[in-house]
Amino acid sequence: MNIVDRQLPDKKSKNEVSLSAYTLLFSELIQYNQRKVTHIKELERRLADIGYSVGVRLLEYIAWKDKGDKYLKRETNTVRFLQFIAVTVWKLLFGKAATLERSMDKKEQFMITEDSTLVDKFISVPKDMQGLNCASLVGGLVEGLLDAAEFPARVSTHSVSVDTQKTPRTVILIEFNASVLAREQKYSL
Amino acid sequence: KMSEGNFTSPLYSIFIINKSGGLIFHKDLVQRKVRLTSNSYLQIAGVFHGMYAITSQLAPTKEVSSGIKTLEADCMKLYCFQSVTGTKFIVTTEPNRNDVEINEFLSQLYSLYANYVLKNPFYDLEQPIHNCDKFQINLNSLIENMFSVSL
C-alpha cells in the first residue's frame, strides 16, 4: 500500500506534523516569494495572503472536526470568538494558547500576543530586512478566520522588542470594521 | 599558534567547515597572543580539511575510516565531528578535557546548526554564516550552560 494512503501510526500524532518538515517548507515558501517581490511590505503581504486562504478553510475544518459528532456552535460575539481563536485555534495549530488583549483607548482594537511564534522559531531576519516579520502568515490566518466568520477586520502583524527576552515578541493587531461593533450594539450580543 | 596561560574558558574556539573545505563559521572564546587575520583562518580551515581527507585514506583498515577525531598538543586539544553531509564541526579546548562532554557539545552544535542555520530562509547554503542571530544567541546559551562561562 502506498505510504501516502496509510494511516498515521499514532492516534495522538494524527493531528501533528513534524516541526522540521513544516519549517523547511515554510523556508522555501519565503525564498520563493522573496524572488518575486521588491519590498519587505510586499513579502509580508504575500505571506498574509497565503495565511488568509488557510484561515478561511480552517474555520470549516475546526467546526466540523473539533467536536467529533457534535458541531461547534457558531459564535456571534466578537470577544468570545477572539477567545476561541486565541485559545482553541492556537492550541490546535501550535500546541499552546496565545494571550488576548483589548486596547484601552480604541474599542474596536484587539491584540493577540505571543512571546515566540512557532512558525518563526528558526528564522533569523537579517539586519537589512529588519522590518520583516514572517509571522505575517499567522496574521493572515487570523484575518481569514475572522472574514469567514463574518467579523470583517483589518489585521496586521508587528514585532515588539521586550526587555525580558532577546527575541522580539509578536503582536497581531486586529481592528474590527465599524459595522461589526454597530451590529453588536444593536443586537446586544 | 597559542601560548600557554590561564584562559577564562575551557573552550578556546569553534570552527565550522563546509563540505568543500571553506570556513563558514568561526568563534574565538579566548584572547589569542598572536592575532590572526581572517585570511589565516580560511587557510587553517582549508589545511585541516585536507589533512582530514588524507588521514581517512591513510588508515590501515579495509573499511572506510573516518578522519581526525581528536588531536592532542601541549597547549590544547582539538576535537572534530564530521556529519554525514561532510560538514565538519571543530572545537579546540584546554588539554586534559573530558572527551564525552566535548563530543556531546559537538552534537548539540550540529543540532543548533541544523535548526537555526539550515532552516533559515535568509541563509545561502555553504556560505559564511553572517546573519543568523538566533544561531549565535543559542550557541552562546549552550556554551554558557555547558561550560559555566559568561559571554
Side-chain angles (χ1 to χ4, degrees):
Chain A
M1 198 179 171
N2 196 340
I3 193 171
V4 182
D5 296 326
R6 262 187 252 156
Q7 286 264 11
L8 285 173
D10 198 293
K11 186 169 172 20
K12 203 170 58 144
S13 76
K14 268 196 190 142
N15 282 333
E16 287 175 7
V17 167
S18 148
L19 181 61
S20 300
Y22 160 76
T23 320
L24 288 164
L25 181 66
F26 188 45
S27 158
E28 194 49 47
L29 191 84
I30 294 177
Q31 286 180 53
Y32 176 80
N33 280 297
Q34 210 183 349
R35 272 178 242 138
K36 304 197 160 200
V37 301
T38 43
H39 314 298
I40 294 175
K41 284 298 162 194
E42 244 185 279
L43 180 59
E44 281 196 351
R45 186 71 247 158
R46 279 184 172 239
L47 289 175
D49 287 341
I50 292 169
Y52 184 90
S53 41
V54 174
V56 167
R57 291 166 178 78
L58 191 64
L59 186 63
E60 290 291 347
Y61 174 81
I62 293 178
W64 181 262
K65 286 269 188 176
D66 193 41
K67 291 281 186 180
D69 290 333
K70 301 182 293 218
Y71 301 122
L72 193 69
K73 197 174 93 152
R74 190 172 82 107
E75 200 48 73
T76 41
N77 175 283
T78 47
V79 178
R80 278 204 295 271
F81 189 67
L82 283 173
Q83 271 167 348
F84 165 71
I85 293 180
V87 176
T88 317
V89 177
W90 236 255
K91 273 210 185 122
L92 182 77
L93 291 175
F94 309 121
K96 56 174 177 167
T99 23
L100 176 67
E101 288 163 11
R102 184 174 202 155
S103 165
M104 284 290 128
D105 30 326
K106 288 194 187 166
K107 275 178 60 188
E108 69 271 16
Q109 238 181 35
F110 290 83
M111 289 157 289
I112 295 181
T113 54
E114 256 194 310
D115 280 343
S116 64
T117 344
L118 200 67
V119 299
D120 229 353
K121 190 169 176 202
F122 301 123
I123 299 177
S124 324
V125 180
K127 293 193 175 49
D128 53 346
M129 301 183 104
Q130 250 338 303
L132 178 68
N133 188 341
C134 298
S136 317
L137 182 86
V138 182
L141 200 145
V142 171
E143 190 171 358
L145 280 170
L146 289 171
D147 264 1
E150 300 289 338
F151 290 100
R154 256 199 335 272
V155 180
S156 52
T157 321
H158 307 275
S159 24
V160 177
S161 335
V162 277
D163 297 325
T164 48
Q165 55 186 62
K166 296 203 176 93
T167 44
R169 175 189 284 174
T170 315
V171 175
I172 298 174
L173 188 65
I174 303 161
E175 280 182 51
F176 285 108
N177 288 1
S179 57
V180 174
L181 289 149
R183 182 178 73 199
E184 263 209 16
Q185 201 133 26
K186 184 171 173 191
Y187 297 107
S188 31
L189 289 162
Chain B
K1 221 189 350 169
M2 265 157 50
S3 18
E4 283 196 35
N6 283 326
F7 291 110
T8 49
S9 152
L11 210 63
Y12 293 166
S13 46
I14 300 172
F15 298 84
I16 302 181
I17 301 179
N18 69 12
K19 58 166 82 82
S20 16
L23 183 69
I24 56 177
F25 180 76
H26 147 255
K27 189 179 178 73
D28 267 335
L29 292 149
V30 291
Q31 278 281 4
R32 289 173 180 276
K33 281 261 165 90
V34 180
R35 293 226 146 253
L36 291 171
T37 63
S38 53
N39 228 9
S40 317
Y41 284 119
L42 287 168
Q43 286 172 342
I44 290 171
V47 168
F48 186 84
H49 176 83
M51 290 287 294
Y52 189 96
I54 291 173
T55 49
S56 103
Q57 297 285 334
L58 278 178
T61 54
K62 266 197 194 156
E63 319 92 41
V64 173
S65 151
S66 87
I68 301 174
K69 278 216 170 117
T70 53
L71 191 153
E72 287 187 52
D74 283 343
C75 55
M76 65 116 189
K77 195 166 176 185
L78 181 147
Y79 294 85
C80 175
F81 168 70
Q82 175 167 271
S83 68
V84 285
T85 51
T87 316
K88 296 189 227 335
F89 299 89
I90 297 158
V91 147
T92 54
T93 69
E94 61 186 6
N96 310 320
R97 197 72 205 171
N98 184 354
D99 280 2
V100 172
E101 187 189 29
I102 304 293
N103 284 322
E104 172 62 32
F105 174 75
L106 281 173
S107 44
Q108 296 267 24
L109 177 62
Y110 183 32
S111 150
L112 281 182
Y113 173 75
N115 280 337
Y116 294 102
V117 176
L118 296 179
K119 291 177 188 167
N120 189 0
F122 305 108
Y123 169 71
D124 301 322
L125 285 173
E126 313 295 332
Q127 294 305 314
I129 297 173
H130 278 316
N131 275 318
C132 301
D133 294 337
K134 286 187 182 167
F135 175 67
Q136 306 269 18
I137 292 171
N138 282 283
L139 177 61
N140 288 345
S141 322
L142 178 67
I143 296 172
E144 284 175 8
N145 289 334
M146 272 194 115
F147 301 103
S148 325
V149 180
S150 53
L151 285 167

